[in-house]
Amino acid sequence: MTAQITLNLPDEVYHQAELLAQQRHRSVSEILVETLEIVLLPTSKPVSELSDAEVIAQTQLRLQPIQEQRLSELLDRQQAGTIASVEREELQALIHIYETRLLRQAQALNEAVQRGLLEPLKR
């Protein structure tokens, strides 16, 4: 299910989304939807309130392949010293998303072990 809405975006936000859309050969709408999903969906409920199936699904959280590819590209550019300022901001956003998902995945793994859904890691 989807809902159609109209947003008034600050010019700077729209231009950043437009630039990112051009770089990825996607529409501005797709970039904005993806960004909102990334920010809002993974942390909508505490892990303890999720069903067993949802907890297991959260243990598998990863960046989307296109995000992984872009993160790798941006890290390479940063390492080479050729990263543009707009790319630096994009890199920071992707790192934040990665860290947020990694934390959520760790919480889900802990919850899955506590519920007996997964075996604890062996030392």
Side-chain angles (χ1 to χ4, degrees):
M1 183 175 133
T2 61
Q4 186 173 4
I5 64 167
T6 301
L7 294 173
N8 294 315
L9 299 174
D11 287 342
E12 179 67 20
V13 171
Y14 180 79
H15 292 302
Q16 291 286 49
E18 189 175 44
L19 180 62
L20 190 55
Q22 289 171 357
Q23 291 172 346
R24 294 187 180 177
H25 307 288
R26 300 178 68 199
S27 72
V28 171
S29 176
E30 289 173 323
I31 294 299
L32 293 173
V33 168
E34 178 182 301
T35 302
L36 288 171
E37 287 175 342
I38 289 166
V39 171
L40 298 176
L41 289 182
T43 59
S44 58
K45 279 191 205 175
V47 174
S48 61
E49 293 179 14
L50 299 176
S51 70
D52 288 353
E54 290 170 319
V55 169
I56 293 298
Q58 297 267 310
T59 68
Q60 304 301 314
L61 278 179
R62 301 282 187 275
L63 289 177
Q64 296 174 3
I66 194 166
Q67 292 171 320
E68 287 181 4
Q69 179 184 353
R70 186 64 178 154
L71 178 60
S72 180
E73 290 170 4
L74 293 172
L75 287 170
D76 289 345
R77 287 185 187 182
Q78 183 181 41
Q79 183 72 21
T82 59
I83 193 167
S85 62
V86 69
E87 290 176 325
R88 190 172 290 109
E89 292 173 13
E90 182 184 357
L91 175 60
Q92 290 304 315
L94 284 170
I95 289 172
H96 175 74
I97 293 164
Y98 172 78
E99 290 172 342
T100 300
R101 288 192 174 209
L102 190 61
L103 175 60
R104 185 69 169 191
Q105 182 185 33
Q107 291 168 338
L109 285 166
N110 182 56
E111 184 71 21
V113 169
Q114 287 181 2
R115 293 185 189 184
L117 303 172
L118 294 176
E119 292 292 319
L121 296 176
K122 296 183 181 176
R123 293 180 187 194

